[in-house]
Amino acid sequence: MKTNLITRGGYEQLQQELTHLWKVERPEITQKVSWAASLGDRSENADYQYNKKKLREIDRRVRYLTKRLEDIKIVDYSPQQEGKVFFGAWVEIENDLGEVLSFRIVGPDEIYGRKDYTSIDSPMARALLKKQVDDEAVVKTPNGEKIWYINKIIYNKD
């Protein structure tokens, strides 16, 4: 089950994707499907079949985004979060081997295509929640427990 939280920037990105799909890509593909259908036999028409498949993919994504945007809750920065790890925080952590990781804790809809974001539902994010700088977080992994220390917590205040 996905957590229904998202940052304002993530929400705006999903909204832009929905608008682009609905107002730009879908009309373009619909036009191609109509043109390909007018050529006759659809069973052997590669243009028709390819664009019809693409149209179904667009419609599926539009339905998903429309429903998802209704269900999710935007979480904005709050001064009470300062000093502790909460949703939307940029966190820098380090382990005993000196390995340093830096990432932002966001909703599950925002992590795709971003290596510097991690989902609030991940074991790492769950272990870090409500911790402060210099606290240690025990993360349960398939290979056992790992200990990480929090170096920095930063919030975007926009």
Side-chain angles (χ1 to χ4, degrees):
M1 186 71 183
K2 290 183 183 179
T3 302
N4 287 332
L5 300 177
I6 196 166
T7 62
R8 184 160 302 278
Y11 184 86
E12 289 168 1
Q13 241 179 344
L14 291 181
Q15 191 71 49
Q16 286 172 355
E17 180 185 355
L18 177 61
T19 301
H20 177 76
L21 286 172
W22 190 250
K23 295 193 177 201
V24 178
E25 280 195 47
R26 192 174 193 289
E28 188 179 297
I29 298 298
T30 303
Q31 189 175 21
K32 288 179 182 177
V33 168
S34 297
W35 169 79
S38 71
L39 297 177
D41 187 9
R42 296 176 188 169
S43 65
E44 294 181 15
N45 187 332
D47 277 335
Y48 176 80
Q49 291 182 0
Y50 172 77
N51 286 305
K52 192 71 174 168
K53 180 179 179 222
K54 191 162 173 93
L55 187 59
R56 283 192 301 270
E57 290 168 3
I58 290 170
D59 286 345
R60 185 170 31 256
R61 183 69 178 161
V62 164
R63 276 192 307 276
Y64 172 79
L65 288 172
T66 302
K67 188 169 191 249
R68 190 71 179 141
L69 287 169
E70 290 172 4
D71 294 342
I72 54 181
K73 179 180 184 270
I74 299 172
V75 177
D76 289 316
Y77 166 77
S78 170
Q80 291 96 347
Q81 295 174 312
E82 219 42 69
K84 288 193 175 190
V85 177
F86 288 107
F87 186 84
W90 282 97
V91 184
E92 182 182 283
I93 57 176
E94 185 174 356
N95 65 11
D96 290 330
L97 302 174
E99 297 172 324
V100 177
L101 295 176
S102 184
F103 52 84
R104 186 175 189 199
I105 299 173
V106 295
D109 297 294
E110 301 177 77
I111 61 172
Y112 301 102
R114 298 286 306 250
K115 298 232 185 273
D116 58 343
Y117 279 13
T118 192
S119 171
I120 187 79
D121 297 328
S122 72
M124 177 68 81
R126 293 289 180 193
L128 293 172
L129 286 177
K130 299 182 184 173
K131 301 272 195 264
Q132 301 177 44
V133 172
D134 295 330
D135 282 357
E136 76 176 36
V138 179
V139 182
K140 292 180 176 138
T141 70
N143 298 331
E145 293 183 340
K146 307 282 184 201
I147 297 175
W148 293 87
Y149 302 95
I150 300 173
N151 291 340
K152 240 190 268 182
I153 304 167
I154 301 170
Y155 286 94
N156 291 352
K157 295 166 178 76
D158 43 16

